[in-house]
Amino acid sequence: MQANNTHSGRTAKVEGENKIINKAEYATTAVKPSQFPDNGWPEVAFVGRSNVGKSSLINALLNRKKLARTSQHPGKTRTINFFNVEDRLYFVDLPGYGYAKVSKSESAKWGEMVEGYLQDRPQLKHIFLLMDIRHEPSAGDRQIYEWCLHYNLPFSVIATKSDKIKKSQVLKHLAVIRKSLDAETPPMPFSSESWEGREALWGVIESQITM
């Protein structure tokens, strides 16, 4: 992964205006707090199971094709990746969880690294918990949802891959996820292909980083 990986992209509508991301580039990779950026910019984190579509969602939000790399080997990425967005905030790509071939020791390391970041990072303004709209939340999904509630962390649940089911079934699948989590509100649907939900997610981001 190279720094200064900035590309031009198409214009997208966000909150009734043209949302153009002029600068989006890889900043750094970390496995411990001493390696995190120290310039004080607000951060938005993305977390979810392996293969939930996290990298694709980040690329869609930033209107880039390959800034966040999608892996053909689930569970391989075991680092925290920071992306500079417009020299004003970081998108933080957390390693995926729940891949069966990952050892218990590796899973424990994931928990320590990710939970340490989420719980102790003062620059963290919002967390997006990604779940596949096609499936009921896994035990891991429910665990991290309850964990965020327990620590009173600011977060939203995103139901990815909404284009993979019929439009007439979207509300039904959102209701299943909501019931499984015992959540007060349904998750926000998102498609990296059609950009459904992009406007709503940017609305959440902008509201949190300007608070």
Side-chain angles (χ1 to χ4, degrees):
M1 191 175 293
Q2 301 293 323
N4 299 320
N5 187 13
T6 306
H7 307 280
S8 61
R10 62 176 175 171
T11 300
K13 295 288 187 179
V14 179
E15 296 184 342
E17 299 179 356
N18 291 333
K19 181 68 174 181
I20 300 175
I21 305 299
N22 294 303
K23 184 174 184 178
E25 62 186 24
Y26 164 74
T28 191
T29 291
V31 294
K32 54 185 178 181
S34 62
Q35 298 171 332
F36 296 164
D38 60 1
N39 56 11
W41 292 352
E43 297 171 5
V44 178
F46 301 84
V47 63
R49 290 176 58 85
S50 299
N51 271 2
V52 76
K54 189 155 42 66
S55 296
S56 296
L57 180 145
I58 291 173
N59 288 331
L61 285 176
L62 297 177
N63 191 15
R64 302 297 190 268
K65 291 184 178 180
K66 297 180 180 180
L67 182 58
R69 302 298 176 87
T70 56
S71 176
Q72 296 180 348
H73 305 284
K76 186 176 181 180
T77 302
R78 314 307 297 166
T79 57
I80 299 175
N81 295 316
F82 292 79
F83 299 95
N84 171 2
V85 182
E86 304 284 29
D87 289 336
R88 64 188 289 250
L89 76 147
Y90 287 112
F91 274 16
V92 186
D93 185 6
L94 300 174
Y97 58 85
Y99 188 55
K101 293 185 179 180
V102 173
S103 67
K104 289 184 178 180
S105 62
E106 284 295 311
S107 180
K109 289 179 181 178
W110 179 94
E112 292 176 4
M113 179 171 61
V114 172
E115 291 181 9
Y117 167 80
L118 294 177
Q119 189 173 352
D120 301 325
R121 185 65 171 166
Q123 291 91 331
L124 179 60
K125 300 302 180 182
H126 202 76
I127 304 164
F128 288 115
L129 302 182
L130 277 56
M131 303 181 190
D132 192 324
I133 195 171
R134 298 171 297 179
H135 308 297
E136 186 173 341
S138 67
D141 292 331
R142 292 192 293 272
Q143 182 178 7
I144 196 164
Y145 175 86
E146 293 293 339
W147 188 85
C148 288
L149 282 177
H150 177 75
Y151 287 102
N152 197 30
L153 299 174
F155 72 94
S156 301
V157 178
I158 309 301
T160 62
K161 305 184 181 183
S162 62
D163 57 284
K164 301 299 184 182
I165 61 175
K166 294 180 180 179
K167 288 185 177 181
S168 61
Q169 295 296 307
V170 169
L171 291 179
K172 176 182 176 182
H173 283 255
L174 295 179
V176 169
I177 296 174
R178 179 182 180 180
K179 182 177 180 180
S180 177
L181 298 175
D182 194 23
E184 293 184 3
T185 59
M188 303 165 63
F190 188 90
S191 166
S192 298
E193 296 295 325
S194 68
W195 284 13
E196 177 192 12
R198 185 178 188 268
E199 176 181 342
L201 263 67
W202 266 114
V204 173
I205 293 168
E206 293 290 352
S207 68
Q208 294 299 311
I209 66 175
T210 56
M211 291 177 63

